[in-house]
Amino acid sequence: MQHLHIKTHRKREIVDITDQIQSVLEKNSAASGICHLTVLHTTAALTTADLDPGTDLDMLDAFEAMIPKLRYRHPHNPAHVPDHILSSLIGTSVAQPVESGQLVLGTWQRIILVELDGPRERELALTFLAES
């Protein structure tokens, strides 16, 4: 298992991590199989997305609109309960096919970290499962 550290710079942002993941696969001479990624935090998420200009901001606006304004009861800090909820809804892991050492992605598809409570340094665990 590999661990990656990704620095974020804003409270909420989309960070394209595709190239970092591809680099880890190349350094480890990955062949064909599955690359499994997990973000080891409860206020961040992972998914794939098209990152045309402005799409990242559209996604963040849509995520914000999905969360109701409630009186949250989280004892540590009720203000960041929406961050926990969004992380659960979006998901904290991605499994991506790899063929001949290359991530298999659609034409516009990128792997992204969704920062929901930054800025922070986020830790990701990457596991490569080789095809048998």
Side-chain angles (χ1 to χ4, degrees), residues 7-24:
K7 275 194 163 298
T8 64
H9 304 286
R10 291 185 291 284
K11 162 70 175 155
R12 293 213 169 145
E13 71 178 300
I14 303 290
V15 180
D16 183 349
I17 60 171
T18 311
D19 294 339
Q20 289 103 314
I21 304 307
Q22 184 61 56
S23 178
V24 169

Side-chain angles (χ1 to χ4, degrees), residues 11-12 42-43 67 70-87:
K11 162 70 175 155
R12 293 213 169 145
T42 61
T43 56
I67 299 300
L70 302 174
R71 187 166 175 254
Y72 295 109
R73 296 174 285 270
H74 183 38
H76 168 65
N77 180 357
H80 79 232
V81 171
D83 308 328
H84 290 293
I85 293 170
L86 282 171
S87 175

Side-chain angles (χ1 to χ4, degrees), residues 34-98:
I34 298 290
C35 175
H36 186 266
L37 299 163
T38 301
V39 61
L40 303 175
H41 302 274
T42 61
T43 56
L46 292 171
T47 191
T48 59
D50 171 352
L51 288 182
D52 281 337
T55 305
D56 57 338
L57 299 176
D58 292 340
M59 290 176 71
L60 293 172
D61 289 347
F63 294 150
E64 182 75 27
M66 283 192 247
I67 299 300
K69 305 297 184 221
L70 302 174
R71 187 166 175 254
Y72 295 109
R73 296 174 285 270
H74 183 38
H76 168 65
N77 180 357
H80 79 232
V81 171
D83 308 328
H84 290 293
I85 293 170
L86 282 171
S87 175
S88 293
L89 289 173
I90 300 164
T92 57
S93 67
V94 171
Q96 200 66 41
V98 175

